[in-house]
Amino acid sequence: MAGEGVSRLAGLLRQSRPASEESRSIRLGERDLGYVLRRSPRRSFALQVDHRGVRVAVPWPATQAEIDSFIRSHHDWLLGKLAVRVPPAVMMVEDGALFPLLGEMCRMRLGQGGRSARWRLGADGVEELVLPDGPGARQALVRALRARALPWFGERVAEFCYRLGHAVPAVRLSSARTRWGSCSSRSGIRLHWRLIHLSPTLIDYVVAHEVAHLAEMNHSPRFWAVVDALYPDWKAARVRLRDAGRALPVIDGADAALIAED
């Protein structure tokens, strides 16, 4: 009887425990698959693929070995779902259009006076970018995003250089088509300006990656050890970054092939 009481009590405690979510990754074939793991009082395993990526829901007592086995048992289904790619949408430059900024939605406002772009907070708490109306609005959007990106990236580079104990190099913006960032002992660190759309945690991964090159100008095990010290969740972030890059809306056509590789 006592054993049954303890078991019932443990069950009640699990049911009252709030659900949790965390980013994980698993090796499937030739790729690392990032997913969001949700633990809750549920009794079964579930797998979902949608616009947010891969999500795995498990009961609280599930072990990592059981979770890995469950995911691998759906290997073909998962890769089939992920292979169906929806072409990225073209960013509409019009009054009221929404676009991603630092992982949140920002609103465009056109035709409200002024010859230069400016940022403001909307009445509903949503950040807004006011652009001059007319044929130059798209170019004004790009200039405003680049101007917003550079100081943000510079501060993050300085933060990770402080953690590494390294002098802060020059920081510039990049428009490379196949790399989020680069690092050179002569020219410093370059970061793609379109990172400004992504969440600060993903930006930090790219910054940590490039700052780590200041210590190791390669991709050796020593390099990844530096990355791990600066950004322990780098494996999951690397996978999320790849998916985030594919999902970015196209602004001018030249960025349609942008991928999150380094």
Side-chain angles (χ1 to χ4, degrees):
M1 294 295 291
E4 292 178 3
V6 171
S7 179
R8 285 197 297 270
L9 177 60
L12 290 173
L13 289 174
R14 283 196 297 270
Q15 292 176 9
S16 62
R17 191 176 178 182
S20 72
E21 290 190 353
E22 60 181 315
S23 297
R24 296 284 183 89
S25 66
I26 184 173
R27 187 73 175 178
L28 285 184
E30 297 299 318
R31 66 174 290 179
D32 291 319
L33 175 69
Y35 64 94
V36 174
L37 177 65
R38 178 180 173 84
R39 292 183 181 272
S40 70
R42 64 181 297 124
R43 296 186 176 183
S44 61
F45 288 59
L47 188 60
Q48 181 183 15
V49 179
D50 59 18
H51 66 283
R52 298 169 296 180
V54 179
R55 302 177 68 82
V56 182
V58 302
W60 271 113
T63 66
Q64 190 59 51
E66 291 171 333
I67 296 167
D68 290 349
S69 177
F70 171 70
I71 295 174
R72 290 195 171 99
S73 70
H74 293 81
H75 174 277
D76 291 341
W77 179 86
L78 256 178
L79 295 187
K81 284 287 188 181
L82 293 172
V84 180
R85 294 292 180 182
V86 178
V90 175
M91 186 183 294
M92 303 302 295
V93 180
E94 59 186 15
D95 189 54
L98 297 174
F99 64 94
L101 179 76
L102 294 171
E104 303 290 342
M105 282 294 110
C106 185
R107 183 186 296 120
M108 291 184 209
R109 286 300 187 196
L110 274 70
Q112 299 191 14
R115 296 183 178 181
S116 60
R118 67 182 190 279
W119 302 92
R120 72 183 186 189
L121 192 64
D124 57 357
V126 174
E127 190 169 9
E128 296 182 340
L129 174 58
V130 182
L131 297 169
D133 203 0
R138 190 173 294 271
Q139 289 72 25
L141 167 66
V142 172
R143 288 194 298 271
L145 290 173
R146 291 176 66 96
R148 182 74 175 263
L150 187 57
W152 180 281
F153 298 167
E155 289 180 5
R156 300 315 296 154
V157 169
E159 168 64 23
F160 280 97
C161 283
Y162 173 79
R163 298 182 194 180
L164 186 64
H166 197 286
V168 181
V171 180
R172 298 179 177 86
L173 298 180
S174 164
S175 297
R177 293 191 56 146
T178 59
R179 304 180 77 182
W180 282 119
S182 63
C183 179
S184 166
S185 57
R186 291 190 300 174
S187 60
I189 289 176
R190 292 180 180 271
L191 297 166
H192 202 292
W193 66 271
R194 295 212 65 190
L195 281 168
I196 196 61
H197 296 297
L198 307 184
S199 68
T201 56
L202 288 184
I203 297 173
D204 273 1
Y205 162 64
V206 179
V207 171
H209 185 118
E210 300 309 331
V211 167
H213 278 308
L214 296 173
E216 294 288 340
M217 286 290 184
N218 50 58
H219 285 100
S220 67
R222 293 192 305 274
F223 165 78
W224 290 112
V226 176
V227 174
D228 193 65
L230 292 174
Y231 194 101
D233 196 32
W234 66 268
K235 290 183 179 180
R238 191 181 188 190
V239 176
R240 295 199 309 273
L241 183 63
R242 185 181 300 117
D243 293 335
R246 293 190 180 108
L248 282 181
V250 175
I251 294 182
D252 60 8
D255 50 13
L258 184 65
I259 61 173
E261 299 287 357
D262 197 354

